[in-house]
Amino acid sequence: MLEIRKQLEETIPVIRQYYQGTPTIGIILGTGLGKVAEAIEVEVEIPYEKLPHFAVSTVESHAGKLLFGTLSGVPVMAMQGRFHYYEGWTMKQITYPVRVMKALGAKVLLVSNAAGALNPLFRPGDIMLITDHINLIGDNPLIGPNDDSLGPRFPDMSDAYTKELRLLAEETALQLGIRLVQGVYVPMAGPNLETPAEYRFLRLIGGDAVGMSTAPEVIVAVHSGMKVIGFSVITDMCLPDALKPVTLEEILATAATADEKMARLVKALVPKIAKAVEK
Ligand code: HPA
């Protein structure tokens, strides 16, 4: 048996001791989605250190536990705290929780992050609906032998950020009066923020926002046959000709200003997504 299956056979029974339900949606809470966690009616919380094969996040701004419960009445599970490539985890470790979501029955991955704007029309505090990505991390979670029971060798990425779900997000934002910009997310490995020349390059190749996460998890979700919806909270402007220094503290403070808006959007959106995937 290939490695991931073997790992799942050790992790899933541990989760099943605490939680017997089937989450419709798996949520990854990036920077700026703390209020979404608060909106979940949590039934069970499992710290990552209790789960075989889970990495334990080293970034202080991330908590490090799985939440199981309901969000607006929909069964969900959420990763509070995600793993980043720059922490030294492998792509397989970063994406293992998505394999777990799928194994527990989740049909959708809802993913979020904090990102810098390459698109000059964006503003700090905006929410960007991710339409697509360009993976520049320089690594891929699917490298190595493929387990055909988990997904295909060469997964199709033509609709990675599921159009059907994006339309629901647009409709929901419009109904709530929330400004929702859209664009292409480009993750770099990090951990340094990028140079002006790099920002110019990322804009030239078609990026609207830059970050350090999300693409690995989305690749694995698509490989697993899950639908995906993703959001970036815009925390700073990455315009090469008008670049100001930025600190993690400023990024976190700006993400916090969009937190409540993001929670409102996700709370209204989740039941629509559940309805769309359960029909
Ligand atoms: N790069 C630049 N600005 C950012 C990033 C990044 O990866 N994440 C959040 N703001």
Side-chain angles (χ1 to χ4, degrees), residues 103-119:
L104 292 171
K107 295 195 168 85
V108 176
L109 175 68
L110 187 158
V111 65
S112 64
N113 59 53
L118 301 165
N119 184 326

Side-chain angles (χ1 to χ4, degrees), residues 178-243:
I178 292 173
R179 173 173 146 103
L180 184 69
V181 297
Q182 303 196 18
V184 173
Y185 175 76
V186 192
M188 301 277 279
N192 57 284
L193 303 182
E194 294 68 27
T195 66
E198 286 168 338
Y199 288 141
R200 193 183 316 281
F201 166 75
L202 296 174
R203 183 64 181 151
L204 270 169
I205 63 168
D208 292 292
V210 52
M212 303 175 193
S213 66
T214 303
E217 296 100 317
V218 169
I219 290 169
V220 165
V222 171
H223 182 250
S224 307
M226 294 169 77
K227 294 187 174 177
V228 174
I229 181 109
F231 299 99
S232 291
V233 171
I234 300 300
T235 54
D236 53 301
M237 301 304 293
C238 302
L239 308 177
D241 295 309
L243 196 59

Side-chain angles (χ1 to χ4, degrees), residues 141-200:
L142 305 181
I143 289 174
N146 186 62
D147 184 340
D148 295 336
S149 75
L150 296 175
R153 171 75 288 186
F154 302 107
D156 176 73
M157 295 290 284
S158 60
D159 190 32
Y161 297 81
T162 317
K163 178 91 187 268
E164 179 195 7
L165 303 188
R166 281 189 275 135
L167 290 174
L168 293 176
E170 279 181 39
E171 174 195 289
T172 307
L174 200 59
Q175 281 166 351
L176 297 176
I178 292 173
R179 173 173 146 103
L180 184 69
V181 297
Q182 303 196 18
V184 173
Y185 175 76
V186 192
M188 301 277 279
N192 57 284
L193 303 182
E194 294 68 27
T195 66
E198 286 168 338
Y199 288 141
R200 193 183 316 281

